[in-house]
Amino acid sequence: MSKLNSNKWISIVGYIASFLTIGQTLVSLILLSANQQPMNSNSPLWQQIISLGAVLLCIVSLCIILVNSQIKNERIGQELKVIENDKISLSNDLKERNDIISSLSQINHNINHQNRQMLYELYEELYADTHQSSKIEVLNNKYRGYLQNFTSNVKSAFDTITKDKSCAVYISLLKEYNDDFFVETAYRDPTSYTVRNNLDMQMPSYNINNFTPFKHILSETNNDTYFACDNCKDYRNFCDRNDDWLDFYNSCLTVPIRARTDKSTNTHNYIGFITVDNRYGRLNNKDAINLLCSYADTLYMNMNIMIDLINMAE
């Protein structure tokens, strides 16, 4: 049993004393009324009854005040406890958000640093005195190395904001054949590559209709610029080229790698898509969507630069 604090002991003693006094006063009133004799011969009986009644009334009033005060103190104590718990919870939330911001700052710094370094090395190689075929091969190798670092950092960013280490990242390129659209997986993050590369080898190119996020984004019937779902299992008619997709993920976020080429007609040039998926969600929110859109914009810029450099090298 927990020990009572000093305030509760004082209240208990006060209640006991009050009840004893009330009892004593009631007994005195009963005896006085029964005997019809004044306890004090100097005062009439009716005055003594009124006096004892007034004392009794004061004591009862005091008891009521004490009880109300105790109830009020208990309520205030409970409210203070709730406030203290909320303060601790808020403090923990702020610390968690600060940790996320710190991690994302470092990750985004890494991405921008690698992007700058990659572009410097690509231009340096372009103007180097090397054979044309060797030059193109070096450019491609350097860009593949950049994509490895890029996808690794994007995975780290989404591992951080979703608190789910199962995040996988991959980049898909959009191709058009006979007025139909197909995609090819261009690069995966190194972690998921080891378990999903077999699928890319078995089906290197596939129609956008075989993957709901791509079909949704390119559909002319909606204006969504992304696909985000935290429970694909319950998404109506969700499909993936891999029939066993649920073994790998249940949440998915995809945004296009694109740029608007004509504002008046809202026409865009699509290069492909970047996708993040995981098992436990937290991808269908503004923070996750905006973060992946920023990475898609980075990809669009350096992919276009890479295409121009390859054309120049040829």
Side-chain angles (χ1 to χ4, degrees), residues 5-16 66 70:
N5 59 39
S6 58
N7 289 333
K8 287 188 176 181
W9 276 116
I10 292 173
S11 299
I12 291 173
V13 172
Y15 293 147
I16 293 173
L66 285 173
Q70 184 66 25

Side-chain angles (χ1 to χ4, degrees), residues 167-214:
C167 289
V169 179
Y170 58 95
I171 299 165
S172 307
L173 298 181
L174 186 64
K175 307 289 184 180
E176 184 176 1
Y177 298 112
N178 299 325
D179 297 327
D180 207 352
F181 292 103
F182 294 80
V183 290
E184 299 175 0
T185 302
Y187 212 91
R188 291 186 181 274
D189 72 89
T191 303
S192 64
Y193 175 85
T194 57
V195 294
R196 302 197 194 184
N197 186 51
N198 287 337
L199 176 64
D200 298 331
M201 295 176 64
Q202 294 170 6
M203 195 180 294
S205 179
Y206 57 100
N207 193 287
I208 61 167
N209 292 322
N210 291 333
F211 190 44
T212 297
F214 298 162

